[in-house]
């Protein structure tokens, strides 16, 4: 049965308009994005198959072009459309973060860092540079690859902090495994960076570990 033949309150688009996006499942949200299905499958049926194949919405959204376009019903046009939607979401979060005080909007900070880092298939180490009122100056991704004492250079973090005239800093990096538990290397580099930043009177406020749908704060764990 085509979606147009469903009861009005069960159609994803009408359901969203009546009850809001939170009322929809991942498959229903994806069906609205897809707009149409394929022969013998509604957009919702196709969405469910895609989520099952990619083992969840997060993996589908993080898929590279080849992986995304290899699925039935998806192609370069849909991939470009998805990347535009994701980038608009990131820019919206960034604008909200720039207008707010980081210390009074911790959830916005977490949402932004998750949006920027959660989809990478490799580790990325980023810095959120803040002024003396803890407003965002800039976000930068400084290092890529395995995050350990050899690959993250305190001198470069300090140099970029001084370049931005930052008074405070929030660090973040992702764990592609999806597990947000900090490693001993994570704890060690946090201590080294905190000590290096203190020499130039820059406060390290937190170091977030970004997993799949979860974030761990080293400050909340008493590491900072």
């Amino acid at each position: 049965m085509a979606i147009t033949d469903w009861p009005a309150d069960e159609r994803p688009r009408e359901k969203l308009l009546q009850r809001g996006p939170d009322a929809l499942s991942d498959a229903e949200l994806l069906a609205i994005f897809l707009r149409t299905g394929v022969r013998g499958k509604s957009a919702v049926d196709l969405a469910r198959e895609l989520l099952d194949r990619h083992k969840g919405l997060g993996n589908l959204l993080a898929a590279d072009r080849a992986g995304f376009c290899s699925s039935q019903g998806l192609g370069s046009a849909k991939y470009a459309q998805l990347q535009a939607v994701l980038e608009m979401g990131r820019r919206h979060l960034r604008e909200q973060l720039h207008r707010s005080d980081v210390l009074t909007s911790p959830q916005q900070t977490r949402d932004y860092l998750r949006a920027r880092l959660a989809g990478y298939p490799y580790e990325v180490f980023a810095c959120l540079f803040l002024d003396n009122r803890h407003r965002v100056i800039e976000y930068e991704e400084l290092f890529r690859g395995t995050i350990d004492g050899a690959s993250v250079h305190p001198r470069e973090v300090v140099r970029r902090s001084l370049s931005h005239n930052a008074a405070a800093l929030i660090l973040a990096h992702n764990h592609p495994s999806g597990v947000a538990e900090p490693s001993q290397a994570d704890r060690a580099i946090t201590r080294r960076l905190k000590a290096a930043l203190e020499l130039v009177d820059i406060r390290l406020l937190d170091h977030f570990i970004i997993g799949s749908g979860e974030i761990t704060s080293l400050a909340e764990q008493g590491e900072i």
Side-chain angles (χ1 to χ4, degrees):
M1 182 185 295
I3 290 178
T4 53
D5 297 326
W6 294 9
D9 61 352
E10 293 182 12
R11 300 173 198 164
R13 187 178 304 164
E14 285 76 7
K15 185 176 176 181
L16 183 149
L17 293 173
Q18 292 173 8
R19 298 167 56 187
D22 289 348
L24 274 64
S25 66
D26 288 351
E28 290 171 326
L29 288 170
L30 184 57
I32 292 176
F33 171 78
L34 294 171
R35 296 181 59 193
T36 59
V38 295
R39 181 182 292 274
K41 298 174 187 175
S42 70
V44 174
D45 293 331
L46 178 58
R48 288 171 179 154
E49 285 191 9
L50 291 171
L51 292 173
D52 183 61
R53 175 176 178 175
H54 288 271
K55 295 181 172 57
L57 184 61
N59 288 334
L60 175 61
L61 298 182
D64 61 18
R65 181 177 177 180
F68 184 87
C69 295
S70 66
S71 299
Q72 183 185 26
L74 302 180
S76 294
K78 284 293 183 189
Y79 179 77
Q81 183 181 342
L82 176 62
Q83 295 309 305
V85 169
L86 292 174
E87 182 59 25
M88 283 191 291
R90 286 191 286 263
R91 293 185 186 189
H92 171 65
L93 288 170
R94 183 175 62 200
E95 288 180 6
Q96 287 184 315
L97 200 59
H98 272 276
R99 290 195 298 264
S100 65
D101 184 322
V102 166
L103 293 184
T104 60
S105 57
Q107 191 56 50
Q108 284 184 359
T109 305
R110 289 171 182 250
D111 289 344
Y112 178 70
L113 293 172
R114 180 187 293 114
R116 292 305 305 252
L117 295 172
Y120 285 119
Y122 45 81
E123 289 192 25
V124 176
F125 184 93
C127 297
L128 204 57
F129 301 100
L130 312 173
D131 66 14
N132 56 10
R133 295 177 60 185
H134 296 142
R135 295 172 302 189
V136 175
I137 299 172
E138 191 55 82
Y139 165 89
E140 285 190 13
E141 296 174 0
L142 296 184
F143 308 106
R144 296 189 175 194
T146 302
I147 302 303
D148 57 28
S151 61
V152 176
H153 307 292
R155 180 173 59 183
E156 180 63 13
V157 174
V158 170
R159 187 182 74 82
R160 296 305 300 154
S161 300
L162 294 173
S163 173
H164 288 296
N165 196 28
L169 201 63
I170 290 176
L171 309 174
H173 79 275
N174 63 314
H175 280 180
S177 66
V179 179
E181 183 64 28
S183 66
Q184 289 304 312
D186 295 336
R187 299 178 194 278
I189 193 59
T190 301
R191 291 192 294 270
R192 288 183 61 205
L193 289 169
K194 182 174 184 291
L197 290 164
E198 284 177 345
L199 293 175
V200 289
D201 295 322
I202 297 175
R203 293 182 59 208
L204 178 59
L205 302 182
D206 211 332
H207 184 172
F208 290 112
I209 313 298
I210 315 295
S212 177
E214 59 178 330
I215 295 182
T216 297
S217 161
L218 287 180
E220 291 177 357
Q221 293 193 350
E223 297 285 340
I224 296 176

